[in-house]
Coordinates of all heavy atoms in Angstrom, one line a residue:
H849 N 92.5 104.6 101.9 CA 92.5 105.7 100.8 C 91.2 105.7 100.1 O 90.4 104.8 100.1 CB 93.6 105.1 99.7 CG 94.9 104.9 100.3 ND1 95.9 105.7 100.4 CD2 95.3 103.6 100.7 CE1 97.0 105.2 100.9 NE2 96.6 103.9 101.3
I850 N 90.9 106.9 99.6 CA 89.6 107.1 98.9 C 90.0 107.9 97.6 O 90.7 108.9 97.7 CB 88.6 107.9 99.8 CG1 87.2 107.9 99.1 CG2 89.0 109.2 100.1 CD1 86.1 108.3 100.1
T851 N 89.4 107.5 96.5 CA 89.6 108.2 95.2 C 88.6 109.2 94.9 O 87.6 109.5 95.7 CB 89.7 107.1 94.1 OG1 88.2 106.7 93.9 CG2 90.5 106.0 94.3
R852 N 88.8 110.0 93.8 CA 87.9 111.0 93.4 C 86.5 110.5 93.3 O 85.6 111.2 93.6 CB 88.4 111.6 92.1 CG 87.5 112.7 91.6 CD 87.9 112.8 90.0 NE 89.1 113.3 89.7 CZ 89.2 114.7 89.6 NH1 88.2 115.6 89.6 NH2 90.5 115.1 89.2
I853 N 86.4 109.3 92.7 CA 85.0 108.7 92.5 C 84.5 107.9 93.8 O 83.4 107.4 93.6 CB 85.0 107.8 91.2 CG1 86.0 106.7 91.4 CG2 85.4 108.6 90.0 CD1 85.8 105.5 90.3
G854 N 85.2 108.0 94.8 CA 84.7 107.3 96.0 C 85.1 105.9 96.3 O 84.7 105.3 97.2
S855 N 85.9 105.4 95.4 CA 86.4 103.9 95.6 C 87.4 104.0 96.8 O 88.2 105.0 97.1 CB 87.2 103.5 94.6 OG 86.3 103.5 93.3
T856 N 87.4 103.0 97.6 CA 88.3 102.8 98.8 C 89.2 101.7 98.7 O 89.0 100.7 97.9 CB 87.3 102.8 100.1 OG1 86.6 101.6 100.0 CG2 86.6 104.0 100.3
N857 N 90.4 101.8 99.3 CA 91.4 100.9 99.4 C 92.0 100.8 101.0 O 92.2 101.9 101.5 CB 92.4 101.2 98.5 CG 93.6 100.1 98.5 OD1 94.4 100.1 99.3 ND2 93.5 99.2 97.6
Y858 N 92.1 99.5 101.4 CA 92.6 99.5 102.8 C 93.8 98.6 102.8 O 93.9 97.5 102.1 CB 91.5 98.8 103.6 CG 90.3 99.9 103.9 CD1 89.2 99.8 103.0 CD2 90.3 100.8 104.9 CE1 88.1 100.5 103.2 CE2 89.2 101.5 105.0 CZ 88.2 101.5 104.2 OH 87.1 102.3 104.4
G859 N 94.7 99.0 103.7 CA 95.8 98.1 104.0 C 95.4 97.0 104.8 O 94.3 97.0 105.4
D860 N 96.3 95.9 104.9 CA 95.9 94.7 105.6 C 95.6 95.0 107.1 O 94.7 94.5 107.8 CB 97.0 93.6 105.5 CG 97.1 93.3 104.0 OD1 96.1 93.2 103.3 OD2 98.1 92.7 103.6
S861 N 96.4 96.0 107.6 CA 96.2 96.4 109.0 C 94.9 96.9 109.5 O 94.4 96.9 110.5 CB 97.4 97.2 109.5 OG 98.6 96.4 109.3
A862 N 94.3 97.5 108.3 CA 93.1 98.3 108.7 C 91.7 97.6 108.2 O 90.7 98.1 108.7 CB 93.2 99.6 107.8
K863 N 91.9 96.6 107.4 CA 90.8 95.8 107.0 C 89.9 95.3 108.1 O 90.4 94.8 109.0 CB 91.1 94.8 106.0 CG 91.7 95.2 104.7 CD 92.2 94.0 103.8 CE 92.7 94.6 102.4 NZ 93.2 93.4 101.7
G864 N 88.6 95.6 108.0 CA 87.7 95.2 109.0 C 87.6 96.0 110.3 O 86.6 95.9 111.1
R865 N 88.6 96.9 110.5 CA 88.6 97.7 111.8 C 88.5 99.2 111.4 O 87.9 100.0 112.3 CB 89.8 97.3 112.5 CG 89.9 96.0 113.0 CD 91.1 95.8 113.9 NE 92.4 96.2 113.3 CZ 93.2 97.0 113.9 NH1 93.0 97.7 115.0 NH2 94.4 97.3 113.2
F866 N 89.0 99.8 110.4 CA 89.2 101.2 110.0 C 88.2 101.4 108.9 O 88.0 100.6 108.0 CB 90.6 101.5 109.8 CG 91.5 101.4 110.8 CD1 91.2 100.9 112.1 CD2 92.9 101.7 110.7 CE1 92.0 100.8 113.1 CE2 93.8 101.7 111.6 CZ 93.5 101.2 112.9
T867 N 87.8 102.7 108.8 CA 86.8 103.1 107.7 C 87.3 104.5 107.3 O 87.2 105.5 108.2 CB 85.5 103.0 108.1 OG1 85.0 101.7 108.6 CG2 84.5 103.5 106.9
I868 N 87.5 104.6 106.1 CA 87.8 106.1 105.6 C 86.5 106.6 104.8 O 85.7 106.0 104.3 CB 89.1 106.0 104.5 CG1 89.3 107.4 104.1 CG2 88.6 105.1 103.3 CD1 90.6 107.5 103.3
S869 N 86.3 108.0 105.2 CA 85.1 108.6 104.6 C 85.6 110.1 104.3 O 86.6 110.5 104.7 CB 84.1 108.5 105.5 OG 84.3 109.2 106.8
R870 N 84.7 110.7 103.6 CA 85.0 112.2 103.3 C 83.8 113.0 103.4 O 82.7 112.6 103.1 CB 85.6 112.3 102.1 CG 84.8 112.0 100.8 CD 85.5 112.1 99.5 NE 84.7 111.7 98.4 CZ 85.2 111.3 97.2 NH1 86.4 111.4 96.9 NH2 84.3 111.1 96.3
D871 N 83.9 114.2 103.7 CA 82.8 115.2 103.7 C 83.2 116.3 102.7 O 84.0 117.2 103.1 CB 82.5 115.8 105.1 CG 81.2 116.6 105.0 OD1 81.0 117.3 104.0 OD2 80.7 116.8 106.3
N872 N 82.7 116.2 101.5 CA 83.2 117.2 100.5 C 82.9 118.6 100.9 O 83.6 119.6 100.6 CB 82.6 116.8 99.1 CG 83.2 115.6 98.6 OD1 84.3 115.2 98.8 ND2 82.3 114.9 97.8
A873 N 81.8 118.8 101.6 CA 81.3 120.1 101.9 C 82.3 120.8 102.9 O 82.4 122.0 102.9 CB 79.9 120.2 102.4
K874 N 82.9 119.9 103.7 CA 83.9 120.4 104.7 C 85.2 120.2 104.3 O 86.2 120.5 105.1 CB 83.6 119.7 106.0 CG 82.3 120.0 106.7 CD 82.1 119.3 108.1 CE 80.8 119.5 108.7 NZ 80.6 118.8 109.9
S875 N 85.5 119.8 103.0 CA 86.8 119.4 102.6 C 87.6 118.8 103.6 O 88.8 119.1 103.9 CB 87.5 120.8 102.1 OG 86.8 121.5 101.2
T876 N 87.0 117.7 104.1 CA 87.6 116.9 105.3 C 87.4 115.4 104.9 O 86.5 115.0 104.4 CB 87.0 117.2 106.5 OG1 87.1 118.7 106.9 CG2 87.6 116.3 107.7
I877 N 88.6 114.7 105.2 CA 88.5 113.2 105.2 C 88.7 112.7 106.7 O 89.2 113.4 107.5 CB 89.6 112.6 104.2 CG1 91.0 112.8 104.7 CG2 89.3 113.0 102.9 CD1 92.0 111.9 104.0
Y878 N 88.1 111.5 106.9 CA 88.1 111.0 108.3 C 88.7 109.6 108.1 O 88.6 108.9 107.2 CB 86.7 110.9 108.7 CG 86.0 112.2 108.8 CD1 85.2 112.7 107.8 CD2 86.2 113.1 109.9 CE1 84.5 113.9 107.9 CE2 85.6 114.4 109.9 CZ 84.7 114.7 108.9 OH 84.2 115.9 108.9
L879 N 89.2 109.1 109.4 CA 89.6 107.8 109.6 C 89.0 107.4 110.8 O 89.4 107.7 111.9 CB 91.0 107.6 109.5 CG 91.6 106.1 109.7 CD1 91.1 105.4 108.3 CD2 93.1 106.1 109.8
Q880 N 88.0 106.5 110.7 CA 87.3 106.0 112.0 C 88.1 104.6 112.3 O 88.1 103.8 111.4 CB 85.9 105.6 111.7 CG 85.2 105.0 112.9 CD 85.0 105.9 114.0 OE1 84.7 107.1 114.0 NE2 85.4 105.4 115.2
M881 N 88.6 104.6 113.4 CA 89.5 103.4 114.0 C 88.8 102.7 115.1 O 88.7 103.4 116.1 CB 90.8 103.9 114.4 CG 91.6 104.7 113.1 SD 93.3 105.0 113.5 CE 93.1 106.1 114.9
N882 N 88.4 101.5 114.9 CA 87.7 100.7 115.9 C 88.5 99.5 116.3 O 89.5 99.1 115.6 CB 86.3 100.3 115.5 CG 85.4 101.4 115.1 OD1 85.5 102.4 115.7 ND2 84.5 101.2 114.1
S883 N 88.3 98.9 117.4 CA 89.0 97.8 117.9 C 90.5 98.0 117.9 O 91.2 97.2 117.4 CB 88.6 96.6 117.0 OG 87.2 96.3 117.0
L884 N 90.9 99.1 118.5 CA 92.3 99.4 118.5 C 93.1 98.5 119.1 O 92.7 97.9 120.3 CB 92.5 100.9 119.0 CG 92.1 102.0 118.0 CD1 91.9 103.4 118.7 CD2 93.1 102.1 116.8
K885 N 94.4 98.3 118.7 CA 95.3 97.5 119.3 C 96.6 98.2 119.6 O 96.8 99.2 119.0 CB 95.7 96.3 118.3 CG 94.6 95.6 117.8 CD 94.9 94.5 116.7 CE 93.8 93.8 116.0 NZ 94.2 92.9 115.1
P886 N 97.5 97.8 120.6 CA 98.7 98.4 120.9 C 99.6 98.6 119.6 O 100.2 99.7 119.4 CB 99.4 97.6 122.0 CG 98.2 96.8 122.6 CD 97.2 96.7 121.6
E887 N 99.5 97.8 118.7 CA 100.4 97.8 117.5 C 99.8 98.8 116.5 O 100.5 99.0 115.5 CB 100.5 96.5 116.8 CG 99.1 95.8 116.5 CD 98.8 94.7 117.7 OE1 99.0 95.1 118.8 OE2 98.3 93.6 117.3
D888 N 98.7 99.5 116.8 CA 98.2 100.5 116.0 C 98.8 101.9 116.4 O 98.7 102.9 115.8 CB 96.7 100.8 116.1 CG 95.8 99.6 115.5 OD1 96.3 99.1 114.4 OD2 94.9 99.2 116.1
T889 N 99.7 101.9 117.4 CA 100.5 103.0 117.9 C 101.3 103.5 116.9 O 102.2 102.8 116.3 CB 101.1 102.7 119.3 OG1 100.2 102.5 120.3 CG2 102.0 103.9 119.6
A890 N 101.2 104.8 116.4 CA 102.1 105.3 115.4 C 101.7 106.8 115.2 O 100.7 107.3 115.8 CB 101.9 104.6 114.0
V891 N 102.5 107.4 114.3 CA 102.0 108.8 113.9 C 101.2 108.5 112.6 O 101.7 107.8 111.7 CB 103.2 109.7 113.6 CG1 102.7 110.9 113.0 CG2 104.1 110.0 114.9
Y892 N 100.1 109.1 112.6 CA 99.2 108.9 111.3 C 99.2 110.3 110.5 O 99.2 111.4 111.0 CB 97.8 108.6 111.8 CG 97.6 107.3 112.2 CD1 98.2 106.8 113.5 CD2 96.9 106.3 111.5 CE1 98.0 105.4 113.9 CE2 96.7 105.1 112.0 CZ 97.4 104.6 113.2 OH 97.2 103.3 113.7
Y893 N 99.5 110.0 109.1 CA 99.5 111.1 108.3 C 98.5 111.1 107.2 O 98.2 109.9 106.7 CB 100.9 111.1 107.5 CG 102.1 111.3 108.5 CD1 102.8 110.1 108.9 CD2 102.7 112.5 108.6 CE1 103.8 110.2 109.7 CE2 103.8 112.6 109.4 CZ 104.4 111.5 109.9 OH 105.6 111.6 110.8
C894 N 97.8 112.2 106.9 CA 97.0 112.1 105.7 C 97.7 112.7 104.5 O 98.8 113.4 104.7 CB 95.7 113.0 105.9 SG 95.9 114.8 106.2
A895 N 97.4 112.4 103.3 CA 98.1 112.7 102.2 C 97.1 112.9 101.0 O 96.0 112.3 101.0 CB 99.1 111.6 101.8
A896 N 97.6 113.6 99.9 CA 96.7 113.9 98.8 C 97.7 113.8 97.6 O 98.7 114.2 97.5 CB 96.1 115.2 98.9

Side-chain angles (χ1 to χ4, degrees):
H849 309 268
I850 188 165
T851 69
R852 175 203 291 268
I853 61 172
S855 299
T856 57
N857 179 280
Y858 293 93
D860 290 340
S861 299
K863 289 177 181 176
R865 299 188 299 130
F866 296 0
T867 303
I868 189 170
S869 62
R870 68 184 176 199
D871 183 333
N872 290 331
K874 296 182 179 179
S875 297
T876 300
I877 63 168
Y878 302 97
L879 183 68
Q880 178 66 44
M881 304 188 294
N882 298 329
S883 302
L884 285 164
K885 305 174 183 180
E887 50 264 45
D888 294 319
T889 296
V891 178
Y892 285 70
Y893 298 91
C894 66

